[in-house]
Amino acid sequence: MKLPNKARAGNRSRRASGLLRHGLTAHGVLCYVFLYLPILVLVAFSFNASRYSGLWRGFTLQWYEALFSNAALGAALRTSLVVALASTAISTVLGTAVALGLERFAFRFRPLMDVLLYLPIIIPDIAMAVMLLLFFVLTRVPLGVGTIVVSHVAFNVSYVALVVRARLAYFDISLEEAAQDLYADEWQTFRRVTLPLLMPGILGGALLAFTLSLDDFVIAFFVSGPGATTLPLRVYSMIKLGVTPEINALSSLMLLASIGLIALSGALSRR
Amino acid sequence: MAQPLRTRRDLLRLLILISPSLLWLVIFFLLPLLLVFAISFGQRGTYGGVQWTPTLANYARLLDPLYLRIFLRTLFIAGTATVLCALIGYPMAFFIATRPARWRNAFLLLLVIPFWTNFLVRMYAWLFLLRDNGPINVLWTEGIHAAVAWLAAAIPAPFWEPLLQATSTPLRLFGTDGAVIVGLVYAWLPDMVLPCYAAVERLDPRLVEAAQDLYATRVRAFLRVVLPLTRSGLITGSVLVFVPCVGAYVTPDLLGGARTVMIGNVIYSQFMMARDYPFGSALSFVLMALMLVATVAYFRLGGEGGRGRG
């Protein structure tokens, strides 16, 4: 008497598990559609011949041509690259050094230093932007490219340190000891052993810093002043003036650049 | 690996390594932070500067129903976005974890690609989709409208008239709380999925089998075994989503139109338009306190180490 009952229950449970599996697959597919459809639509409409409508009116490359003749955009891109390169260079050196110091030595104020290092990561952008603006205004530092670089370093140091420390956690200290046993001095050990082994972590941190600097809008919005316009600031003012296919074209190129950066970071992490 | 400072030379090494960052963070982070705190007790000068007469007026002003409502609305929008991220992201973590091993990394990569792309561009994509003459509304007022008109001509019935009316005007999508919530979910969904995935991947399937061998129903096995073991991922994800949502500025500014205002937008207007630095500082400080409460609650609830900003 019991057996058929159990068999039926087993049947039902098999059907339920099939349903669950298909439901999960459908959900996963829908999630990826949700993540990519807006981007794909955005890119598709950068080739749309109509200026105002969301209706498709034929293929054109004219919005891309318009971008390349836009001098203000070129200047903004240059400013963004200068800011990103400068802040990445400074924060990579500072962040790597502080990671080494914190991982190598135990000292009484280390937990405090940890907190100071991680706060810029968890604090909301807008709060950080406000703090820095107030600081620059009250100390009468003129706002411009310099203040953007300084502000970007203030959060990028933390990110670089985070990535390099993760790499240092797996560092085999006996390799350094071996170098010193072979009469390498401190500088040679660092230059020939420690630095090459840490390089993937350092490059990963630098790439993250570079991306975050290029991506930042909120902090640059507050501390840039009238003279300095980065690419995100330019994009923002274009959006505020109204939706145009040029912005779609520009967004598509920025997406392409990000994918290039991801490919680069993938190649770096595989080493 | 960390060793105590034994010699003077060690101390010198340590100072060379950490003092540049320490100086930078003290000058360009700690000092500005303390400055905001100090100024939040100051008063707005006649010409927009700061008068250093200590007062609690800025914090008292936060209790004004106008600002209380904005705080509640911010918490509501951030909370809804976090819950939606959990409802969408938690099953998505299971979806990725149950793929064949060689596909899993590809699915994870597809998840983080939007994360590396420019935040403004991602929000613009939604602005473009949702606006009154954007693709969704064109589909609604042209495609669906035409379909309804065709059906109405083919099959006469009284209910076509209201449908024809509804599809002749664009849907109000842009400039609503809903648009802001969609934008926030879109922006922070990967922050929910990744910690959930890490927790799901660690889950030992034998434990679920054991529960079922002991005659636990599917639902019971999920509630008593799977959920408790993956809870830490859900908590970590929720904090990673909630904190940036509370501090959101760009998303409500671009997608919320003039009516949906969050704390971030009020802080912006206090600093850049009203030039009321003390009140803006008080607002920022309350925002940071909210973030701190969320983070402390997170450690209390037993989450794990976090990940970066977007």
Side-chain angles (χ1 to χ4, degrees):
Chain A
M1 269 326 256
K2 248 184 177 167
L3 208 64
N5 243 342
K6 204 166 182 195
R8 214 179 308 141
N11 228 346
R12 195 168 349 124
S13 116
R14 233 192 327 278
R15 213 174 317 133
S17 98
L19 207 66
L20 192 71
R21 222 182 26 247
H22 290 309
L24 207 57
T25 308
H27 177 80
V29 171
L30 279 178
C31 283
Y32 282 102
V33 169
F34 171 68
L35 283 178
Y36 282 91
L37 196 63
I39 296 178
L40 293 177
V41 170
L42 180 79
V43 174
F45 275 88
S46 73
F47 300 109
N48 186 13
S50 161
R51 183 164 188 96
Y52 298 105
S53 170
L55 208 57
W56 183 260
R57 299 233 192 258
F59 180 89
T60 179
L61 283 174
Q62 68 179 109
W63 314 120
Y64 287 90
E65 284 163 28
L67 281 187
F68 288 109
S69 54
N70 186 338
L73 218 50
L77 178 62
R78 255 190 311 276
T79 309
S80 256
L81 287 176
V82 167
V83 167
L85 285 173
S87 73
T88 301
I90 301 171
S91 55
T92 303
V93 174
L94 296 189
T96 304
V98 79
L100 276 167
L102 287 174
E103 286 291 312
R104 287 293 160 83
F105 297 105
F107 52 99
R108 200 183 320 157
F109 301 107
R110 196 161 73 155
L112 266 177
M113 187 70 201
D114 279 339
V115 171
L116 185 61
L117 205 54
Y118 290 131
L119 264 180
I121 294 181
I122 49 176
I123 229 162
D125 298 11
I126 186 109
M128 185 118 172
V130 159
M131 282 160 40
L132 286 159
L133 172 70
L134 263 185
F135 177 74
F136 292 133
V137 166
L138 293 182
T139 52
R140 292 172 203 276
V141 176
L143 299 177
V145 174
T147 47
I148 307 178
V149 172
V150 162
S151 308
H152 282 190
V153 173
F155 66 77
N156 269 339
V157 166
S158 307
Y159 283 99
V160 174
L162 196 71
V163 175
V164 175
R165 282 179 85 170
R167 179 96 192 166
L168 267 171
Y170 297 102
F171 192 89
D172 186 357
I173 196 92
S174 59
L175 291 170
E176 282 185 359
E177 288 162 3
Q180 274 162 356
D181 285 348
L182 297 168
Y183 301 103
D185 62 32
E186 212 174 328
W187 174 245
Q188 281 172 323
T189 310
F190 177 73
R191 185 73 194 70
R192 309 293 285 272
V193 178
T194 317
L195 203 57
L197 284 170
L198 276 185
M199 216 19 120
I202 297 172
L203 288 177
L207 204 62
L208 182 61
F210 189 74
T211 311
L212 290 173
S213 177
L214 279 184
D215 192 38
D216 169 63
F217 162 71
V218 175
I219 292 172
F221 191 41
F222 277 75
V223 303
S224 62
T229 305
T230 61
L231 192 59
L233 291 177
R234 188 83 218 142
V235 173
Y236 178 80
S237 62
M238 282 168 82
I239 295 174
K240 279 287 169 178
L241 282 176
V243 169
T244 62
E246 278 110 333
I247 309 178
N248 287 42
L250 179 58
S251 304
S252 306
L253 292 180
M254 288 167 76
L255 285 168
L256 204 64
S258 324
I259 291 171
L261 275 180
I262 297 169
L264 189 65
S265 88
L268 283 177
S269 67
R270 214 163 294 137
R271 292 204 319 183
Chain B
M1 196 161 82
Q3 59 182 62
L5 299 169
R6 282 198 208 87
T7 56
R8 232 190 197 151
R9 234 182 123 77
D10 275 353
L11 183 64
L12 191 69
R13 280 193 202 113
L14 176 66
L15 283 178
I16 290 173
L17 287 173
I18 71 166
S19 55
S21 298
L22 184 62
L23 267 177
W24 200 288
L25 287 172
V26 165
I27 298 174
F28 299 116
F29 183 77
L30 199 57
L31 272 179
L33 187 69
L34 296 174
L35 198 65
V36 168
F37 188 57
I39 287 176
S40 71
F41 296 103
Q43 277 170 353
R44 182 179 186 274
T46 336
Y47 302 105
V50 179
Q51 270 181 338
W52 297 93
T53 15
T55 170
L56 281 171
N58 297 310
Y59 287 96
R61 208 171 137 197
L62 290 173
L63 299 174
D64 184 312
L66 171 70
Y67 296 110
L68 274 184
R69 217 172 301 136
I70 292 172
F71 266 102
L72 285 179
R73 176 177 222 149
T74 303
L75 289 177
F76 169 74
I77 291 176
T80 309
T82 308
V83 169
L84 281 176
C85 274
L87 289 177
I88 298 170
Y90 187 68
M92 199 180 175
F94 279 91
F95 168 76
I96 299 175
T98 50
R99 291 314 96 186
R102 65 206 156 93
W103 288 107
R104 243 173 270 160
N105 280 334
F107 276 112
L108 284 173
L109 183 68
L110 276 177
L111 186 70
V112 291
I113 285 176
F115 213 84
W116 279 71
T117 58
N118 193 285
F119 191 82
L120 269 180
V121 167
R122 281 184 283 155
M123 291 303 112
Y124 171 72
W126 280 99
L127 169 67
F128 181 77
L129 275 178
L130 298 178
R131 78 207 163 102
D132 282 0
N133 52 352
I136 292 179
N137 269 320
V138 164
L139 202 67
W140 177 254
T141 55
E142 310 265 336
I144 310 265
H145 185 74
V148 171
W150 185 79
L151 279 173
I155 320 159
F159 54 79
W160 295 118
E161 200 44 46
L163 267 176
L164 273 171
Q165 290 254 311
T167 53
S168 62
T169 48
L171 297 168
R172 254 205 81 67
L173 303 169
F174 171 74
T176 58
D177 283 6
V180 177
I181 292 170
V182 167
L184 289 173
V185 169
Y186 186 72
W188 303 110
L189 183 62
D191 268 36
M192 177 65 79
V193 180
L194 290 174
C196 285
Y197 170 77
V200 170
E201 210 208 6
R202 272 199 307 265
L203 185 70
D204 188 345
R206 284 174 303 179
L207 291 173
V208 185
E209 282 165 26
Q212 283 176 339
D213 285 346
L214 296 169
Y215 298 100
T217 61
R218 238 161 240 293
V219 176
R220 220 173 139 76
F222 175 77
L223 289 178
R224 301 294 289 271
V225 179
V226 177
L227 196 59
L229 286 173
T230 51
R231 202 183 62 135
S232 67
L234 262 177
I235 296 172
T236 305
S238 301
V239 174
L240 289 180
V241 173
F242 185 74
V243 167
C245 284
V246 169
Y249 167 74
V250 175
T251 311
D253 183 60
L254 288 184
L255 299 177
R259 289 187 310 130
T260 298
V261 174
M262 293 174 71
I263 309 178
N265 309 86
V266 183
I267 293 177
Y268 167 77
S269 60
Q270 288 305 319
F271 273 92
M272 307 304 255
M273 328 263 245
R275 303 257 162 208
D276 190 343
Y277 292 166
F279 184 53
S281 300
L283 281 164
S284 319
F285 226 81
V286 173
L287 175 66
M288 283 189 263
L290 277 176
M291 171 218 84
L292 214 66
V293 168
T295 315
V296 168
Y298 156 69
F299 281 116
R300 280 284 161 79
L301 285 167
E304 326 162 43
R307 235 171 41 81
R309 161 208 318 249

